[in-house]
Amino acid sequence: MSGHKLMFSGLKLCPSGKNRWTNRLLSGVSGRGKASFSSCSRPKVCIVGSGPAGFYTAQALIKARQDVQVDIYEQLPVPFGLVRFGVAPDHPEVKNVINTFTQTAKQSRCSFYGNVTVGKDVSIEDLQQAYHAVVLSYGAEGNRSMGVPGEDLAGVYSAKDFVGWYNGLPSCQELSPDLSCETAVILGQGNVALDVARILLSPIDLLKKTDITQPALEALSESLVRRVLIVGRRGPKQVACTIKEVREMVNLPDTRPEMVEADFEGVTEALKDLPRPRKRLTELMLKTALEIPGEKERERRNAASRVWGFRFFRSPVEVLAHPDHKRTAGIRLAVNRLEGEGEGSRAVLTGEVEDVTCGLVISSIGYRSLPIDPAVPFDAGKAIVPNHMGRVQQAAGLYCSGWVKTGPTGVIATTMNNSFDTARSLMEDMDSGKLDISAAKPGSQSISALLEKRGVKAVIFSDWERMDRLEMRRGEAAGKPREKLLTVEEMLQAARN
């Protein structure tokens, strides 16, 4: 690891101007060419987290300003965050964004330092002393609790951990989920819930061609799960997933849908008032639930050995224990009715409950950001770093992007726009003088020295490329796109070899 030693004394701030930001971003300056910046400071920015938010923020800063140096710090030895550990194995096209992130990481003015835990190996204060600006983009690695009795029983998992297990997140490799039951209940109806349902029910021959981990593949090949219910507290018109994910469930080989007709009462009449994307999604669900299928589809459904279905107007009340009191045997659901219309409608309890027998409960009710350092303000209620347009409140020089800024919402494109907005705020502050970039800052040079003193060996991007090549070779041998390294120890060993 090396840092550039630059002198800044007596240099003037660059002139401000909002149009200048737009021109910079649209011009797509690569940052590879040499340019003279004798009249401007050379600002150093560090980004904490190497997921989509971190890389999109870095990309925007580098394109917008030819003199900025961006260093990305990551807790794991490998980059890309939820693109690597969150995107479903059977969605390889979504992972293509890694190519763009790699281009950013290989820019001469961008450096990656993995295996560095900010808040432990280095503090935010250390980073603030070394850099002109610090951007927090470390995402949401906590789980939202259901807050119901029995959620600690064996057989109950968070979707975040379950997804991490089959995607190779080191902290989830001990999960070893029990798949010996017939019915699984997933709480939540977002895209992650449908990803989990699809992975549980997908034919093994399909999964074998993906980058799903070998232990997960072996466990799923022996799974007895044949029925998956995807439960939501509101109705079909409020479902949180997108049409692509529902279509994938409808077309999943060897499965058939199982819906409750009463859940769709009055939905057909409401179609005309729905916005187009919501209307198309609702029409697909209506067709799947209520239409009599054609002969070919009827044959396909009759031959299916696995079943999936949405269950609407239901909220978890209690996870029911097996007589041995050690594992789950079912879930008690409250029956709801809706108050209000459309997206703003609220689920209200009716007083009725129903019990569903199941041996597996997966809670997909959202990720949650965690505080990173006592020096950083944190809103525990909203589970975000309080900010205005990415500027952390009452903390000059501190910014945030991604889910730690907004909460866990949207898709990768949402995070991209959110990150570009934060980069814009940071650039405006540099240009206006609100962020002082006139004094020299040592950047990675001083952080490298601190890490060395503390016995922490950082992983740089060329180390990751070594790991990447190894994973690809291992995958090729198994007939897969890649076979992931599953522990931090394995990753570090591959990085050093």
Side-chain angles (χ1 to χ4, degrees):
M1 292 190 314
S2 65
H4 302 289
K5 193 169 184 179
L6 299 170
M7 302 303 292
F8 297 84
S9 57
L11 298 183
K12 295 175 184 174
L13 289 171
C14 298
S16 63
K18 197 166 187 179
N19 290 337
R20 186 172 171 191
W21 158 264
T22 312
N23 293 336
R24 287 166 174 165
L25 198 51
L26 293 177
S27 67
V29 175
S30 72
R32 287 204 178 274
K34 289 183 179 179
S36 170
F37 287 96
S38 56
S39 63
C40 298
S41 296
R42 292 183 179 272
K44 295 192 174 177
V45 178
C46 109
I47 294 172
V48 180
S50 69
F55 267 106
Y56 278 128
T57 306
Q59 177 191 323
L61 290 171
I62 288 166
K63 281 184 175 179
R65 186 165 177 140
Q66 285 193 358
D67 61 338
V68 73
Q69 170 70 40
V70 179
D71 294 336
I72 301 173
Y73 291 89
E74 166 60 49
Q75 181 176 345
L76 288 168
V78 296
F80 310 133
L82 277 186
V83 180
R84 179 180 168 97
F85 297 117
V87 173
D90 58 349
H91 283 175
E93 72 288 350
V94 181
K95 300 183 189 186
N96 288 340
V97 73
I98 283 175
N99 299 330
T100 307
F101 297 162
T102 297
Q103 286 175 0
T104 299
K106 294 179 89 161
Q107 293 277 4
S108 59
R109 294 180 290 111
C110 183
S111 297
F112 170 80
Y113 300 111
N115 197 41
V116 178
T117 303
V118 173
K120 179 185 161 205
D121 299 331
V122 290
S123 68
I124 291 294
E125 192 180 345
D126 293 332
L127 295 175
Q128 286 180 305
Q129 286 175 2
Y131 293 89
H132 294 102
V134 176
V135 185
L136 305 172
S137 307
Y138 62 87
E141 59 177 319
N143 292 314
R144 288 190 184 276
S145 164
M146 287 189 285
V148 301
E151 69 177 309
D152 296 328
L153 286 167
V156 182
Y157 306 95
S158 74
K160 185 190 79 66
D161 292 347
F162 195 82
V163 169
W165 168 68
Y166 64 63
N167 270 336
L169 183 63
S171 61
C172 298
Q173 292 317 293
E174 301 298 316
L175 200 70
S176 188
D178 182 357
L179 306 177
S180 64
C181 60
E182 183 183 336
T183 300
V185 169
I186 301 173
L187 300 166
Q189 295 179 330
N191 285 345
V192 174
L194 269 73
D195 284 346
V196 171
R198 203 174 60 253
I199 296 299
L200 281 170
L201 295 177
S202 282
I204 288 299
D205 285 347
L206 285 184
L207 293 178
K208 277 180 181 171
K209 299 169 188 169
T210 74
D211 68 358
I212 193 168
T213 68
Q214 193 58 31
L217 194 59
E218 289 167 9
L220 287 162
S221 68
E222 295 173 13
S223 168
L224 300 181
V225 175
R226 293 293 178 269
R227 181 170 175 252
V228 176
L229 301 180
I230 307 158
V231 176
R233 70 184 189 280
R234 296 195 291 171
K237 291 185 290 177
Q238 292 83 29
V239 71
C241 56
T242 53
I243 192 168
K244 176 180 182 283
E245 276 68 24
V246 176
R247 198 178 284 123
E248 285 176 325
M249 290 303 303
V250 171
N251 297 325
L252 192 63
D254 194 32
T255 69
R256 68 175 181 274
E258 177 193 272
M259 308 285 200
V260 176
E261 202 171 315
D263 283 353
F264 293 86
E265 201 175 300
V267 173
T268 305
E269 294 76 13
L271 276 177
K272 64 181 188 304
D273 299 320
L274 296 176
R276 190 166 181 270
R278 171 68 69 185
K279 182 181 180 183
R280 287 176 60 233
L281 170 59
T282 310
E283 282 173 338
L284 175 60
M285 287 191 292
L286 275 167
K287 181 182 177 184
T288 306
L290 304 182
E291 268 191 27
I292 297 169
E295 188 181 344
K296 193 176 175 185
E297 175 63 9
R298 192 161 61 247
E299 283 177 11
R300 189 187 81 83
R301 291 186 186 184
N302 288 341
S305 68
R306 303 178 181 204
V307 174
W308 68 275
F310 285 116
R311 290 294 180 272
F312 296 104
F313 310 110
R314 302 291 185 271
S315 300
V317 174
E318 182 183 357
V319 179
L320 304 171
H322 187 270
D324 65 11
H325 298 293
K326 290 179 182 172
R327 55 198 165 100
T328 181
I331 188 161
R332 179 161 294 156
L333 300 171
V335 180
N336 304 326
R337 61 179 172 80
L338 289 191
E339 274 188 3
E341 277 301 314
E343 304 291 335
S345 61
R346 259 178 355 109
V348 179
L349 298 176
T350 62
E352 292 177 58
V353 295
E354 66 180 30
D355 292 351
V356 177
T357 301
C358 64
L360 180 64
V361 174
I362 297 175
S363 169
S364 185
I365 57 173
Y367 292 35
R368 183 180 174 86
S369 293
L370 302 171
I372 191 171
D373 188 296
V376 178
F378 190 78
D379 184 328
K382 294 179 181 174
I384 59 168
V385 171
N387 69 92
H388 178 67
M389 294 295 289
R391 298 175 178 94
V392 177
Q393 289 173 11
Q394 298 170 329
L398 203 54
Y399 299 81
C400 58
S401 66
W403 284 0
V404 76
K405 170 186 173 185
T406 60
T409 58
V411 292
I412 289 176
T414 320
T415 298
M416 178 182 74
N417 291 324
N418 156 340
S419 303
F420 286 178
D421 285 345
T422 292
R424 183 182 294 112
S425 292
L426 203 161
M427 296 302 305
E428 286 172 357
D429 291 352
M430 282 186 188
D431 288 348
S432 69
K434 185 178 175 183
L435 181 65
D436 182 8
I437 55 172
S438 61
K441 291 274 190 171
S444 63
Q445 216 175 31
S446 69
I447 299 301
S448 300
L450 273 178
L451 292 173
E452 198 173 337
K453 196 186 294 180
R454 293 166 186 174
V456 179
K457 289 185 178 174
V459 168
I460 59 174
F461 202 75
S462 58
D463 296 331
W464 150 247
E465 290 180 307
R466 205 172 287 118
M467 290 184 253
D468 185 36
R469 289 192 293 271
L470 174 60
E471 289 186 344
M472 303 281 266
R473 286 197 303 272
R474 286 171 33 150
E476 197 176 350
K480 300 168 69 178
R482 76 170 61 235
E483 189 63 61
K484 291 177 181 174
L485 299 160
L486 299 182
T487 68
V488 169
E489 291 70 32
E490 275 186 305
M491 291 169 180
L492 293 176
Q493 190 177 354
R496 308 298 177 214
N497 287 344

